[in-house]
Amino acid sequence: MLRRDAYAGTIEVAFTWLEGNENSVSGYQEAITLPYGKMMECLRQSKPFVWKTLSIDNSTKQAQIVFKSRKNLHAALANGVIRRKLIRFLRGQFRWAYAEKIEIYDDFVPYSFFFRETRNGEAGISGGIILHGQEDMKTAYYSMHT
């Protein structure tokens, strides 16, 4: 994982080492934090590289999205039309300044979900991600309910 903290002026590189079999997975994570300015100066002095690969604007923070859903997520991903609608919806949502994590669970409505925000280690907003208009999947749309 590569994460830039523009406020602190750092870049964090995290490596996850996993091992396991079909019954279990275990592992550990190592992370290093580098001063972004010094790292960029070293890169400028090294071989030429494509700047756009290191300068993606991530100024609008997005919370980590964790799916704890199984049935509805698998159903939504199996249907290409719904999958595109869900991905487009999630890409534009949950850009809340102080949200750390959004956990998403199955809802009783097909292709829909319940979500719970974590903010500063505590419970935040919760609600639904509902697929409306399912009688015509081409015009159906996702919306958030809190």
Side-chain angles (χ1 to χ4, degrees):
M1 177 177 58
L2 183 66
R3 181 183 346 198
R4 180 178 175 201
D5 185 338
Y7 296 107
T10 60
I11 190 160
E12 179 183 347
V13 182
F15 301 93
T16 303
W17 309 98
L18 296 174
E19 62 183 346
N21 56 39
E22 64 273 355
N23 297 320
S24 68
V25 175
S26 63
Y28 62 97
Q29 189 175 64
E30 295 180 58
I32 59 169
T33 304
L34 304 168
Y36 184 75
K38 287 183 181 180
M39 184 193 78
M40 291 305 292
E41 187 57 38
C42 288
L43 288 173
R44 280 187 204 96
Q45 294 173 10
S46 67
K47 306 189 305 187
F49 63 96
V50 179
W51 277 98
K52 68 180 181 178
T53 60
L54 291 175
S55 59
I56 297 169
D57 179 14
N58 193 22
S59 59
T60 55
K61 183 181 175 191
Q62 187 164 357
Q64 176 188 18
I65 298 175
V66 179
F67 278 92
K68 296 199 170 186
S69 152
R70 292 288 181 251
K71 179 182 164 204
N72 289 1
L73 177 61
H74 287 282
L77 295 178
N79 182 314
V81 172
I82 297 171
R83 179 177 59 241
R84 284 187 291 283
K85 290 175 186 290
L86 179 61
I87 290 169
R88 191 174 309 125
F89 178 82
L90 291 174
R91 189 181 310 138
Q93 300 299 320
F94 304 121
R95 294 186 180 270
W96 302 336
Y98 300 103
E100 297 164 3
K101 179 170 58 172
I102 307 293
E103 293 179 332
I104 299 179
Y105 302 87
D106 282 334
D107 189 83
F108 64 91
V109 176
Y111 307 112
S112 299
F113 308 92
F114 170 80
F115 73 88
R116 182 177 314 146
E117 171 200 28
T118 301
R119 179 184 293 208
N120 297 322
E122 306 213 356
I125 296 172
S126 61
I129 301 169
I130 309 300
L131 181 63
H132 294 281
Q134 293 191 31
E135 56 278 353
D136 182 0
M137 288 302 189
K138 289 183 181 179
T139 60
Y141 62 96
Y142 277 100
S143 69
M144 183 181 300
H145 298 262
T146 57

